[in-house]
């Protein structure tokens, strides 16, 4: 899927309707969505599913690939986001105010609710690891971006939070530019 995601376009924005419809229908079929798909919005609730790689490729804007403040899980080429959509997110991030997302922001709270499902689909975790990761979730939710100064690495993969993981998540520097050492 990474090869397909390296496309130089953000499909949802830059393709004709017949190509877009074909891609959406294929994504709907892959996700066992039984209804006729008229738009990416029809499938938006499935964007965060681990198996939605094709959907993220076909509907990158709706799925948040081009939005720097969307949940970082699966917002990488390996999970279906096209390089063009990801470049759009990076470009947008460079012109928005340089401030960390507030820990009370619903997006921040939701992304930590999505963390364990994303991680457990990606890795097999032991009971002890799960307990430690649940503590990370609570610390991230209660302390916000500031917790990145205490815990710089994602505990299960060893990836730096602020740099992301090429197979799983976009850098948290999009959400926490100050805590990650500056703006993009």
């Amino acid at each position: 899927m990474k090869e397909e995601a390296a496309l130089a376009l953000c499909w949802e924005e830059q393709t004709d309707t017949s190509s877009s419809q074909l891609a959406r229908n294929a994504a709907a079929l892959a996700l066992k969505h039984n209804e006729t798909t008229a738009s990416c919005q029809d499938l938006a609730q499935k964007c965060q599913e681990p198996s939605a790689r094709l959907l993220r490729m076909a509907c990158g804007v709706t799925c948040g690939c081009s939005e720097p403040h969307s949940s970082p899980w699966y917002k990488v080429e390996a999970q279906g986001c096209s390089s063009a959509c990801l470049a759009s997110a990076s470009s947008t991030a460079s012109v928005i105010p340089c401030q960390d997302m507030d820990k009370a922001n619903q997006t921040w709270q939701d992304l930590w609710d999505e963390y364990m499902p994303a991680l457990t689909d990606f890795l097999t975790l032991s009971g002890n690891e799960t307990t430690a990761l649940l503590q990370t979730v609570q610390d991230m939710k209660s302390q916000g971006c500031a917790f990145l100064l205490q815990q710089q690495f994602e505990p299960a993969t060893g990836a730096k939070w602020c740099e992301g993981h090429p197979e799983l998540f976009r850098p948290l520097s999009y959400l926490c530019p100050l805590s990650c050492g500056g703006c993009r």
Side-chain angles (χ1 to χ4, degrees):
M1 181 59 67
K2 187 173 181 177
E3 293 81 20
E4 290 88 352
L7 294 170
L9 53 93
C10 194
W11 268 42
E12 192 174 351
E13 294 178 329
Q14 301 168 326
T15 59
D16 64 54
T17 52
S18 62
S19 296
S20 298
Q21 186 66 45
L22 182 61
R24 285 192 304 273
N25 287 344
L29 183 62
L31 292 167
K32 298 178 175 71
H33 186 77
N34 296 326
E35 300 171 26
T36 302
T37 305
S39 71
C40 288
Q41 288 300 321
D42 293 337
L43 295 166
Q45 75 281 3
K46 297 195 176 275
C47 287
Q48 285 299 106
E49 291 184 14
S51 61
R53 286 180 183 90
L54 182 57
L55 177 61
R56 287 185 285 272
M57 187 178 75
C59 299
V61 174
T62 296
C63 289
C65 297
S66 62
E67 170 52 50
H69 284 158
S70 66
S71 171
W73 318 123
Y74 310 119
K75 304 311 184 302
V76 292
E77 284 185 32
Q79 295 294 333
C81 289
S82 74
S83 58
C85 284
L86 295 171
S88 177
S90 183
S91 177
T92 301
S94 70
V95 296
I96 57 179
C98 181
Q99 59 189 30
D100 286 352
M101 182 174 278
D102 189 297
K103 65 184 178 187
N105 185 300
Q106 192 60 49
T107 298
W108 183 261
Q109 295 295 311
D110 289 348
L111 82 89
W112 295 109
D113 290 338
E114 297 163 356
Y115 171 64
M116 290 301 292
L119 199 58
T120 55
D121 184 71
F122 187 70
L123 299 170
T124 302
L125 302 170
S126 71
N128 290 341
E129 289 174 307
T130 299
T131 300
L133 294 170
L134 289 171
Q135 184 59 53
T136 296
V137 168
Q138 290 309 309
D139 291 338
M140 287 291 194
K141 288 177 110 176
S142 66
Q143 297 178 45
C145 292
F147 188 66
L148 295 173
L149 300 172
Q150 296 172 41
Q151 188 179 79
Q152 295 182 4
F153 295 89
E154 193 284 317
T157 64
K160 283 189 168 185
W161 287 116
C162 293
E163 294 176 9
H165 187 288
E167 301 292 320
L168 184 60
F169 65 93
R170 170 176 30 221
L172 292 191
S173 59
Y174 284 94
L175 303 174
C176 304
L178 294 177
S179 294
C180 286
C183 292
R184 297 182 159 269

